[in-house]
Amino acid sequence: MDKNRRGLAYVMDQEDLTTMRIFYDFKTDEVFLSASKDWDEDLDWSRYNKDFYAESIKTHNAKYLNEQEVYAVFEKHGLSDYLKEIISLLRQGKHFGILAFWNKKLDIFYMGNQHSRKCGLNNGKHATLGGGIRRHRKDELELDVVIDGLNLGRAMSFKNIAGELPMGGIKSTVTMDELDLNDMQQIGFLGFALDMQRCETGPDMGFPIEMTDVMIEKGYSHQYTCGPNGPLGSSGPPTAYGVFISLEEAVKFLGYDNMDGWSFACQGLGQVGYAMVREICEKVKNPKVIVADARPEAVEKCVAEFSAKGIDITAGNVDDILLQDVDVVVPCAIGGVFDEENIPKLKCKVIWGSANNQIKASSQEEEIRLAQKIAERGILFQTDWWHNTAGVMFAWEEVCKQERADINHVYKVISDVLPRLTKENLREAKELGLTPTANAYRRCEAILYGDAPVPDYTAWLE
């Protein structure tokens, strides 16, 4: 392994280890460390769930390191401070921890960034955690990947609560070259790693959605969801639908009956962004819409489709689409788009979109502080994970019912949950003198770290 990739994977590689656990208990402030060699390097991963299973014996040359031995090997490689930094990150976010796998033969490093299991306990399913799987390039710093994974894992705990789902939060981050869908060694290993996390997932950035179909059709793991050949199709339209109907509730909170004649600036025309534009154009009377995307062909297609239907829709500049003088700014692309520099330049009534982590912040406290600055501009904003949850709701339906999954049932639950919780959050925030973002965190923390009851998810059992 390249020594520039020094970190957890480096130590595991140098010490002939396959598995590492760095777990944390926020109630006792205790840390638990262990590492092991759990399989032989020549193991044929294409035979996973065929000749062997997650719990099968995979080596007769096992190696086990206890907590003190793990500390010792990090000290041996001059990485004690690095390990301490990882543990500090777990403490700061009250994360359950990291379960990491290093596959030397395939050059794949897999980290399950587990935040909280609380809402997934006793749900009757194999998967007690839910969250996407994301690929990172090999030239990225491992610490940056850890921070990204932990932040997204924590957000999944909150998002699953907002979707009233019986799932804890996790984000899987995988450092590897581009996935080869014809390489069953890679597919088998990724199926194993996910199953070991007790997690259900859908492909996120860097992974093709077709990997789900391969996982299921080839018998590697049924914990992958939202493939093109799945029973429900793409999660883009229901996600956009959930964002739109929660936006309607936010507009009512501001005292408006509807958004007829309103103007919208939409950033991003991917699966969700394009579907969001469709929701606006089909359900708002006489809207004025500006769209922007890094792909000119996507913008041309969108403008052509909806202008042909008589909609006032134009192409905008990707660099300043969020700063347009419009009623609603709709971020549906990359995250981290609102910061100290551009918040004072915003000219809208409402910010409401599907993009993850829209505020550029490295901590929950920083996000809440910047959300306060948005509120001081007189702009209604609610942290995205409180209303862009329809995608994970969609995935849960597939996990629960497999081929019997019903898209109409998904829309029924989305129609009940997202507007209701948005209305509750906005009302409570106003009563308590908090921003909607701060109140959403308050509600979730009372469940995850306090004694508030977990959400009632009986609607999913219909």
Side-chain angles (χ1 to χ4, degrees):
M1 173 182 282
D2 185 344
K3 289 189 177 182
N4 290 326
R5 291 167 60 186
R6 288 172 66 83
L8 305 182
Y10 177 79
V11 170
M12 294 169 74
D13 179 74
Q14 296 298 301
E15 297 296 325
D16 193 24
L17 300 167
T18 64
T19 309
M20 183 171 291
R21 295 170 179 84
I22 308 175
F23 291 160
Y24 172 69
D25 186 341
F26 75 89
K27 293 182 179 179
T28 63
D29 196 38
E30 290 184 330
V31 175
F32 170 78
L33 303 176
S34 72
S36 55
K37 175 183 178 180
D38 295 333
W39 63 79
D40 291 325
E41 190 173 331
D42 61 355
L43 184 64
D44 183 359
W45 290 100
S46 71
R47 303 307 300 165
Y48 174 63
N49 273 346
K50 297 173 174 59
D51 297 338
F52 68 94
Y53 313 97
E55 298 82 7
S56 295
I57 298 168
K58 295 179 283 296
T59 182
H60 290 286
N61 296 295
K63 177 191 295 188
Y64 302 99
L65 274 63
N66 65 24
E67 188 165 309
Q68 296 308 313
E69 290 168 330
V70 173
Y71 279 119
V73 295
F74 274 87
E75 183 175 0
K76 170 184 172 181
H77 294 285
L79 289 169
S80 294
D81 289 344
Y82 183 86
L83 180 59
K84 290 177 183 177
E85 187 165 4
I86 299 294
I87 293 171
S88 176
L89 290 170
L90 298 181
R91 278 198 172 96
Q92 290 171 30
K94 296 182 179 179
H95 297 273
F96 183 86
I98 297 172
L99 174 55
F101 299 113
W102 165 239
N103 191 315
K104 186 170 187 173
K105 178 176 74 171
L106 302 179
D107 197 12
I108 296 176
F109 184 52
Y110 189 116
M111 286 186 286
N113 303 281
Q114 303 180 17
H115 178 253
S116 173
R117 295 178 176 271
K118 185 172 183 180
C119 292
L121 298 176
N122 304 317
N123 68 5
K125 302 295 180 185
H126 168 87
T128 60
L129 296 162
I133 182 169
R134 173 175 292 193
R135 184 176 71 86
H136 289 265
R137 301 184 316 275
K138 293 178 181 177
D139 61 353
E140 295 181 58
L141 290 176
E142 185 186 277
L143 184 61
D144 291 341
V145 177
V146 170
I147 291 171
D148 183 54
L150 291 177
N151 286 340
L152 292 168
R154 186 184 68 241
M156 284 308 308
S157 287
F158 299 145
K159 182 178 283 193
N160 289 335
I161 290 174
E164 295 188 340
L165 298 173
M167 301 291 284
I170 185 174
K171 192 74 173 187
S172 296
T173 52
V174 187
T175 300
M176 63 179 293
D177 289 329
E178 187 172 348
L179 177 65
D180 180 355
L181 291 174
N182 295 310
D183 187 337
M184 294 304 107
Q185 292 269 355
Q186 293 182 355
I187 295 292
F189 177 70
L190 294 177
F192 159 81
L194 187 81
D195 287 350
M196 288 293 290
Q197 306 286 343
R198 298 290 301 278
C199 171
E200 65 85 9
T201 195
D204 193 0
M205 291 173 56
F207 280 119
I209 58 174
E210 290 81 7
M211 75 183 293
T212 289
D213 292 340
V214 176
M215 285 284 179
I216 293 173
E217 292 167 8
K218 300 294 185 181
Y220 289 109
S221 176
H222 275 265
Q223 309 309 316
Y224 284 79
T225 62
C226 302
N229 296 335
L232 300 178
S234 170
S235 63
T239 300
Y241 171 74
V243 174
F244 182 82
I245 61 175
S246 63
L247 171 59
E248 289 182 313
E249 198 63 52
V251 168
K252 292 176 185 176
F253 175 78
L254 290 176
Y256 299 94
D257 294 330
N258 53 58
M259 293 178 282
D260 294 348
W262 279 31
S263 53
F264 302 80
C266 302
Q267 179 198 44
L269 294 172
Q271 288 190 59
V272 181
Y274 205 105
M276 189 67 185
V277 173
R278 180 171 286 108
E279 291 283 339
I280 293 167
C281 292
E282 293 180 353
K283 296 179 180 176
V284 176
K285 292 181 181 178
N286 302 315
K288 181 178 180 181
V289 184
I290 308 170
V291 296
D293 191 282
R295 302 162 299 153
E297 65 277 10
V299 174
E300 292 172 9
K301 177 185 175 184
C302 187
V303 171
E305 176 181 345
F306 294 106
S307 60
K309 298 178 181 180
I311 303 295
D312 182 357
I313 183 169
T314 56
N317 189 318
V318 110
D319 294 327
D320 63 5
I321 186 67
L322 300 175
L323 304 180
Q324 295 300 303
D325 188 357
V326 294
D327 293 298
V328 187
V329 164
V330 187
C332 295
I334 60 172
V337 293
F338 299 112
D339 55 25
E340 293 273 12
E341 183 179 345
N342 65 14
I343 287 174
K345 302 175 184 177
L346 295 170
K347 303 171 187 175
C348 55
K349 289 190 187 84
V350 182
I351 296 172
W352 211 271
S354 66
N356 292 314
N357 302 329
Q358 293 169 21
I359 289 179
K360 188 175 184 179
S362 57
S363 68
Q364 180 177 315
E365 292 73 22
E366 179 73 356
E367 182 183 353
I368 290 173
R369 184 183 70 81
L370 290 175
Q372 179 65 41
K373 286 187 171 292
I374 293 174
E376 290 168 359
R377 298 290 320 285
I379 299 169
L380 181 61
F381 171 82
Q382 174 179 266
T383 185
D384 52 87
W385 51 260
W386 194 254
H387 57 252
N388 74 350
T389 59
V392 293
M393 298 165 80
F394 183 90
W396 179 246
E397 173 81 4
E398 190 172 321
V399 166
C400 287
K401 300 178 181 177
Q402 299 293 319
E403 292 302 319
R404 296 180 294 105
D406 181 359
I407 190 67
N408 295 319
H409 181 244
V410 178
Y411 274 94
K412 177 177 178 292
V413 180
I414 292 170
S415 298
D416 167 56
V417 172
L418 296 189
R420 169 168 52 83
L421 292 189
T422 289
K423 182 177 181 179
E424 289 177 6
N425 187 50
L426 296 179
R427 174 181 53 79
E428 287 178 0
K430 183 177 181 180
E431 290 173 354
L432 296 172
L434 300 171
T435 66
T437 295
N439 192 62
Y441 277 114
R442 181 193 66 81
R443 288 180 61 137
C444 290
E445 288 175 341
I447 295 169
L448 296 173
Y449 313 132
D451 298 323
V454 300
D456 177 8
Y457 64 93
T458 53
W460 291 103
L461 304 179
E462 296 177 5

